[in-house]
Amino acid sequence: MSISLRKTIQKHSFEEAINTALELKEVFKNRAEFVDREGVFPYENFQDLKNHDFLSLTIPKEYGGKGLNLLELLTIQEHLAEGDAPTALSLGWHLGTLLEAAENRHWKGDAFANLSRKVVEQKALINLAQTERATGSPSRGGIPTTTAVKKADGWLINGSKAFTSMAEALDYSVITATISETNHKGFFLVNHKEKGVFVKETWDSISMRGTKSDDLLLNDVYVAEENLLVVEDGKNLVPKGWYLQVPAVYLGIARAARNYAIEFASEYSPNTLSGPISDVPEVRRKIGKIELELFQARTILHAVAEKWVNHPEQRQNLGTELAAVKHSVTNSANRVVDLAMRIVGARSLSVQNPLQRHFRDVRAGLHNPPTDDAIVYSLADAALPKR
């Protein structure tokens, strides 16, 4: 297949996915209040995603997927998050895990091809389960307390993972565990139907309630030898570009808040004014600040994503830029939602108003790793001469 034909097919797949995402955004928007209020996993949304083959967006075409790259994934995520942020963030963990494997082809043997087939044919849902309550975010460098002990023809895994988004709905997890007697980190594919895999309901957050990020417990879970995907020794680690799906989701929340505020300002006309409040200079100033925040956030997000896609030889050195994007975009998103609420006023605090949901959801971005303090220090380390 020629390069030009491959690009034409790729463009067609992306445009088709965008059009579907725009349709799903409206559907998800109508369900968002219920998902948030009840704190339930959005099964209906994920059934729609499965029906439209969205679980295989980042699987290579050779394995039956759409083959979308990072920049295309981020655009999809922004749109879906406008409709329902927990759905988009959850989907992003699934698609991002697959994208990393597609880019690096670093899983052992036929593991990636086999899992891709399960996603394409059986609509399997996966996530990367790394965080533990004892160690915190893996971005801080903690060694997993979850252990993998070698057996004759496989591994026995024991431990627990926290903040496992979609835990109750997952078919598979990629589990990190410390390999006994080596202190190396192993990534193991765990089937949730295996004996010893349990979900413990712990998710009581006021933000991103629909992600259902409960604890995942592993009690003497047997994993076959071929399901040890990767072993990391802490050296020559490639930054995870797909983590940009996190700021993309929070940018989508900000856009949803912006759209609501502009619609409100254009229609609300108190009897003290001759027209809508959008004519008031202070309201116009706030709208202008919102537009500036969104322009800057989306520009840097897409610029770094384009660099990741078009210059794979530079990926090893993009860690600080990826972190800076996360910091800038999530903080901009929080400022946008705050400005939108100031435009709408006290009505934005009503349980019936979507802005209070956007406010709670967008705050979660500040706590997704890496956190602001870690990012700032990493930027300083990169700037200062090595001693």
Side-chain angles (χ1 to χ4, degrees), residues 148-222:
V149 177
K150 189 71 179 76
K151 297 299 179 181
D153 55 351
W155 301 85
L156 203 62
I157 298 181
N158 282 278
S160 62
K161 300 295 180 180
F163 304 112
T164 308
S165 295
M166 310 180 284
E168 68 184 57
L170 292 173
D171 298 296
Y172 298 88
S173 285
V174 178
I175 298 290
T176 54
T178 298
I179 298 175
S180 59
E181 301 180 0
T182 69
N183 280 332
H184 291 170
K185 182 193 294 185
F187 290 73
F188 298 84
L189 183 65
V190 173
N191 187 330
H192 280 223
K193 292 182 180 179
E194 290 289 341
K195 182 180 178 181
V197 179
F198 304 98
V199 174
K200 180 181 179 181
E201 288 195 58
T202 55
W203 189 240
D204 61 354
S205 174
I206 65 169
S207 300
M208 291 290 187
R209 286 166 54 76
T211 63
K212 289 294 290 176
S213 301
D214 293 314
D215 285 11
L216 187 65
L217 310 182
L218 303 115
N219 183 16
D220 285 341
V221 178
Y222 172 77

Side-chain angles (χ1 to χ4, degrees), residues 44-348:
E44 286 184 285
N45 291 352
F46 270 83
Q47 189 57 54
D48 287 337
L49 291 167
K50 292 178 180 182
N51 292 342
H52 289 90
D53 294 325
F54 262 45
L55 297 195
S56 57
L57 286 180
T58 55
I59 288 177
K61 289 182 179 293
E62 65 193 271
Y63 296 143
K66 301 295 184 183
L68 299 193
N69 62 37
L70 177 62
L71 182 59
E72 293 165 336
L73 169 62
L74 300 185
T75 305
I76 296 290
Q77 288 295 87
E78 289 174 47
H79 289 309
L80 294 179
E82 283 190 58
D84 184 59
T87 297
L89 188 66
S90 298
L91 176 67
W93 297 130
H94 167 96
L95 293 176
T97 302
L98 294 170
L99 178 61
E100 181 182 16
E103 290 177 337
N104 297 331
R105 303 300 174 105
H106 59 318
W107 290 5
K108 292 183 177 180
D110 296 325
F112 181 52
N114 293 336
L115 183 60
S116 293
R117 185 164 55 251
K118 290 182 174 68
V119 173
V120 171
E121 297 175 2
Q122 302 171 22
K123 315 298 184 185
L125 187 62
I126 73 170
N127 195 1
L128 177 63
Q130 297 189 93
T131 303
E132 298 181 354
R133 296 192 183 278
T135 61
S137 166
S139 67
R140 299 280 184 175
I143 298 174
T145 61
T146 300
T147 59
V149 177
K150 189 71 179 76
K151 297 299 179 181
D153 55 351
W155 301 85
L156 203 62
I157 298 181
N158 282 278
S160 62
K161 300 295 180 180
F163 304 112
T164 308
S165 295
M166 310 180 284
E168 68 184 57
L170 292 173
D171 298 296
Y172 298 88
S173 285
V174 178
I175 298 290
T176 54
T178 298
I179 298 175
S180 59
E181 301 180 0
T182 69
N183 280 332
H184 291 170
K185 182 193 294 185
F187 290 73
F188 298 84
L189 183 65
V190 173
N191 187 330
H192 280 223
K193 292 182 180 179
E194 290 289 341
K195 182 180 178 181
V197 179
F198 304 98
V199 174
K200 180 181 179 181
E201 288 195 58
T202 55
W203 189 240
D204 61 354
S205 174
I206 65 169
S207 300
M208 291 290 187
R209 286 166 54 76
T211 63
K212 289 294 290 176
S213 301
D214 293 314
D215 285 11
L216 187 65
L217 310 182
L218 303 115
N219 183 16
D220 285 341
V221 178
Y222 172 77
V223 175
E225 179 65 38
E226 62 267 22
N227 288 329
L228 171 56
L229 307 178
V230 180
V231 176
E232 286 185 356
D233 59 7
K235 302 176 182 178
N236 301 317
L237 299 180
V238 178
K240 296 183 182 296
W242 69 269
Y243 276 17
L244 288 184
Q245 81 99 1
V246 172
V249 166
Y250 295 104
L251 181 58
I253 296 173
R255 286 170 53 178
R258 173 259 189 201
N259 293 342
Y260 182 90
I262 287 181
E263 181 179 1
F264 178 87
S266 301
E267 295 178 353
Y268 178 54
S269 180
N271 59 15
T272 54
L273 298 175
S274 59
I277 63 170
S278 58
D279 293 338
V280 176
E282 178 56 21
V283 172
R284 297 176 67 84
R285 187 185 71 84
K286 287 184 171 65
I287 291 173
K289 289 183 68 175
I290 285 175
E291 296 301 284
L292 184 59
E293 291 280 2
L294 290 175
F295 173 77
Q296 292 172 335
R298 197 165 194 269
T299 297
I300 64 168
L301 175 66
H302 284 234
V304 174
E306 285 179 2
K307 187 182 292 187
W308 180 273
V309 171
N310 296 328
H311 300 283
E313 75 282 358
Q314 297 182 20
R315 290 175 183 172
Q316 186 70 49
N317 302 316
L318 287 180
T320 53
E321 291 187 40
L322 294 170
V325 169
K326 191 270 178 178
H327 184 292
S328 297
V329 174
T330 53
N331 279 278
S332 278
N334 273 268
R335 288 191 290 269
V336 166
V337 175
D338 179 69
L339 286 165
M341 295 182 77
R342 290 172 185 268
I343 290 170
V344 175
R347 290 175 176 80
S348 66

